[in-house]
Amino acid sequence: MVSAREILQNLFSQRPPSSQQVIIFGTVLSIGVILLAPVLAVFLEPFIGGPYNQLVAVGVIGLFYGVVCAYYKEIISGSYAGMLVFLTISMNVPLGDSKYHLAGIGPNIWLVHIPIIILVTYGLVSEDSIQIGRPQKLFALFIVWAGLGAILAPGPRPDMTILFVIFAMTALLISIIVMTAIASGKVSITSTLTTLCIAVIAHVFLGIIQFLNRGPIGVPYLGEGAGAPAAEVSLGPIGAFYTGPFVNGLTFGGPLAVLLTLTIPIVLVFALQKDGKERIGLLLVVCLMLFVHRMSGWDAARGGLLVALSVLLISAGGIQWKKIRELKTVGKGAITTIGMFLILFIPSSGFGQTVRVPNVSSTESETEADSDTGSQTEGGSSGSEASSDTGSQTADGANTPGIEGEKYLDVADFMVHLDGLNIPLFDATNLGIRVHQYVLGLDLALQYPITGIGAANFYFVSEDIGLRTSYHLHNWYIQLLAETGVIGFSLYSGALLLIFVGTIQAILDETDEKRALIIIATLAGTVGVLSQLMFQPQMMKMPSMFSFWAVMGVLAAYIGITNDDLGRVSKDL
């Protein structure tokens, strides 16, 4: 009698994953799903109405990819590459009523779940030991504590807390898969980062098409967002175009800016480590990434990227100064470098505008008008995340019986200091409503310091505590404090701190300059994202959360490799 385990082992008697194959399959899949599938969907639209044209398009590409992986006995390499590509794509099948969906949180079947299931099954039947670092263990404890909030916290939506736990558990699982794959010695750090960067670059090329199209190309069921234009940009004889979160690839809005902040430092380092035409080509790619980053219209993301590049330059400038000097002696390279930073410093559409201080005592409706700070409503897809950064998609729950407790902070005391504030090169118009949220969030944290109000619950109490409409809290850290209390905040922050401290210590012990620079770039991208999250709620979106924790898995694996804590591990990047 053949056991189920033997059947699975025979099914997965494929070649183990390899770095080269992961990059190849990742490139093929990125081109196929992110670029060719939308084009095929648009071509099929006259013959097959939506959403079936889009489902057929991605189905054809996916079937072809699966057949190729099976034919070459590379199901595991193909699945690992597929996970890294699909975690950047907001294509999903939403389950249940809309009241159970909030941004990326809810009963969803994401495209990325397919390779995750395959990889988890392979991990259970393979002889490779599963690697879980101390940061992942702390993250797991955070998830457990957040889950207890469904019972202990006073928030009105314990069901959303449970759905948040499932969402966070998936991010944790991705991080463990990445760490285990690298720890096995079969997949390298560089191949993992390269595959993720290739997927993001594919979104960049689609974003350029959306920019030139002056709006979405019409594939919402593949993950394309449909935010309204934010500002007009003139490109001289080419014509007038628009910035806005409709420039998003298939990430459904804001997550593309997060992905770009995360990966631009890495691609820049890859470029500096090349010579001749390869270097120039990669630098041009970086310019395109920067251009799309700005044209997506998220000011908070630009600030995050400035932080990321500053960390990279300060940390790596010393050990790479000779190469940087050599780059400046190359005419095309110098022009490219200067162009990169000019793109990054393009002023906001509302440049020079001062803070709009909300009237916290009035009953007027208060909305964020300027999308250049990331406040614009995203929409247009019932097949993807039907959400907005102001949280306007959820019909139920906004007026649920609210949180009641003693007020510790007075919003008006903080607003008086914002009047007339001007931030050079940035649009400060909507800083007032953000500060309003921050004060209310901190007040909730003071009222419920241990349990918080429950994960993913701020949106549902925001009207009751003083906001004029339901909002996501545009600060990830205050949200963690308000929703999971000081214990949840400490566990989550502790996981990040372990990774950052461990990575820095490992870099200081590193003898390979090339490897050190790649890790510095990876760390710089994560620091940039964490800075960006001080003004955006993007960790509520699937591509942002999952991609970030995939990179955390890379760094955790590097720490273990450097410290010889992982057993059978290849030290080859």
Side-chain angles (χ1 to χ4, degrees):
M1 190 74 177
V2 180
S3 67
R5 184 181 180 86
E6 290 175 327
I7 294 174
L8 288 174
Q9 287 176 331
N10 290 331
L11 178 63
F12 288 106
S13 59
Q14 306 278 314
R15 297 189 182 97
S18 66
S19 295
Q20 182 180 7
Q21 293 302 323
V22 166
I23 294 175
I24 292 172
F25 280 111
T27 303
V28 170
L29 190 61
S30 296
I31 294 173
V33 176
I34 300 173
L35 295 175
L36 294 183
V39 173
L40 180 59
V42 172
F43 173 78
L44 291 174
E45 188 173 10
F47 311 101
I48 308 174
Y52 301 107
N53 62 320
Q54 299 161 53
L55 300 179
V56 168
V58 76
V60 168
I61 300 294
L63 180 62
F64 172 78
Y65 181 77
V67 169
V68 170
C69 290
Y71 178 79
Y72 287 102
K73 294 186 176 181
E74 296 285 0
I75 289 179
I76 308 308
S77 292
S79 296
Y80 187 73
M83 183 188 74
L84 295 173
V85 173
F86 288 159
L87 60 78
T88 70
I89 301 174
S90 289
M91 183 178 180
N92 69 326
V93 177
L95 306 174
D97 193 270
S98 63
K99 69 180 181 180
Y100 298 112
H101 291 266
L102 185 68
I105 299 169
N108 296 297
I109 299 175
W110 296 101
L111 198 58
V112 72
H113 283 149
I114 298 172
I116 287 176
I117 292 171
I118 295 173
L119 291 170
V120 169
T121 305
Y122 173 75
L124 293 175
V125 301
S126 70
E127 296 180 355
D128 293 327
S129 59
I130 297 175
Q131 299 292 339
I132 304 177
R134 285 185 298 169
Q136 284 98 339
K137 291 176 182 177
L138 272 185
F139 188 27
L141 288 175
F142 162 78
I143 294 172
V144 171
W145 176 254
L148 290 174
I151 303 171
L152 303 176
R157 293 294 302 272
D159 54 338
M160 290 307 303
T161 297
I162 294 171
L163 291 170
F164 172 83
V165 166
I166 296 172
F167 179 70
M169 284 177 62
T170 308
L172 173 62
L173 185 58
I174 289 171
S175 181
I176 292 172
I177 290 172
V178 169
M179 184 175 182
T180 300
I182 295 171
S184 69
K186 297 168 184 174
V187 177
S188 69
I189 289 174
T190 299
S191 64
T192 299
L193 294 175
T194 300
T195 304
L196 180 62
C197 289
I198 288 170
V200 176
I201 291 168
H203 286 290
V204 166
F205 282 107
L206 181 58
I208 292 172
I209 294 173
Q210 292 163 335
F211 174 77
L212 296 175
N213 190 55
R214 299 177 175 85
I217 62 175
V219 287
Y221 288 87
L222 297 184
E224 182 186 39
E232 184 175 297
V233 175
S234 176
L235 296 183
I238 301 179
F241 297 87
Y242 300 95
T243 69
F246 66 85
V247 181
N248 62 74
L250 297 180
T251 68
F252 207 77
L256 179 58
V258 173
L259 294 174
L260 287 169
T261 300
L262 192 62
T263 56
I264 284 175
I266 300 172
V267 180
L268 180 58
V269 165
F270 285 161
L272 292 174
Q273 292 181 341
K274 300 294 183 180
D275 295 308
K277 293 181 179 179
E278 284 186 279
R279 172 184 286 178
I280 298 300
L282 282 174
L283 286 174
L284 289 173
V285 169
V286 173
C287 284
L288 292 177
M289 297 172 78
L290 287 166
F291 178 77
V292 170
H293 194 283
R294 287 301 298 124
M295 294 305 101
S296 65
W298 302 93
D299 245 14
R302 180 160 63 114
L305 183 55
L306 284 170
V307 171
L309 293 179
S310 298
V311 171
L312 175 62
L313 291 174
I314 293 171
S315 303
I319 62 174
Q320 288 291 309
W321 177 244
K322 183 178 178 181
K323 290 187 178 182
I324 293 173
R325 284 175 53 194
E326 290 173 356
L327 174 63
K328 290 181 179 178
T329 64
V330 182
K332 292 182 180 179
I335 294 172
T336 305
T337 304
I338 294 170
M340 284 163 40
F341 286 96
L342 287 177
I343 293 170
L344 190 59
F345 280 95
I346 296 174
S348 304
S349 61
F351 165 56
Q353 296 188 33
T354 57
V355 175
R356 183 181 62 206
V357 179
N359 184 354
V360 295
S361 62
S362 75
T363 56
E364 295 178 3
S365 176
E366 190 176 81
T367 58
E368 299 182 64
D370 184 0
S371 68
D372 206 42
T373 56
S375 56
Q376 188 176 33
T377 300
E378 305 164 13
S381 171
S382 58
S384 290
E385 298 175 67
S387 71
S388 75
D389 263 23
T390 55
S392 60
Q393 96 287 1
T394 309
D396 300 324
N399 293 310
T400 335
I403 300 291
E404 296 181 1
E406 180 183 353
K407 293 287 185 181
Y408 289 89
L409 302 176
D410 189 344
V411 176
D413 291 341
F414 292 85
M415 292 300 171
V416 68
H417 300 292
L418 298 177
D419 195 19
L421 180 64
N422 189 316
I423 304 175
L425 299 179
F426 289 83
D427 180 7
T429 306
N430 290 318
L431 183 59
I433 181 58
R434 278 167 166 70
V435 172
H436 191 179
Q437 295 176 35
Y438 304 161
V439 175
L440 293 175
L442 289 171
D443 194 66
L444 287 175
L446 291 172
Q447 292 180 45
Y448 306 97
I450 306 300
T451 63
I453 63 171
N457 266 249
F458 180 87
Y459 173 87
F460 299 101
V461 303
S462 53
E463 283 190 75
D464 298 326
I465 61 176
L467 292 172
R468 305 300 182 256
T469 187
S470 298
Y471 279 108
H472 295 294
L473 210 166
H474 282 57
N475 184 302
W476 179 237
Y477 313 104
I478 297 178
Q479 180 175 339
L480 288 174
L481 267 174
E483 294 184 343
T484 64
V486 68
I487 294 178
F489 176 82
S490 299
L491 289 171
Y492 190 91
S493 301
L496 298 181
L497 189 63
L498 279 178
I499 290 178
F500 291 148
V501 172
T503 302
I504 292 171
Q505 290 175 339
I507 290 172
L508 293 176
D509 294 334
E510 183 60 71
T511 57
D512 188 317
E513 184 179 292
K514 179 180 178 181
R515 179 161 49 218
L517 193 57
I518 292 173
I519 298 301
I520 287 171
T522 306
L523 186 63
T526 60
V527 172
V529 170
L530 292 174
S531 301
Q532 183 174 331
L533 294 175
M534 293 180 68
F535 299 97
Q536 284 189 323
Q538 298 300 343
M539 276 299 174
M540 302 285 281
K541 304 289 185 69
M542 184 278 287
S544 304
M545 184 72 151
F546 290 5
S547 298
F548 180 83
W549 277 98
V551 173
M552 290 294 100
V554 171
L555 293 177
Y558 174 72
I559 295 169
I561 292 171
T562 306
N563 295 335
D564 291 322
D565 290 339
L566 298 181
R568 287 187 300 124
V569 175
S570 169
K571 292 197 175 186
D572 182 15
L573 272 186

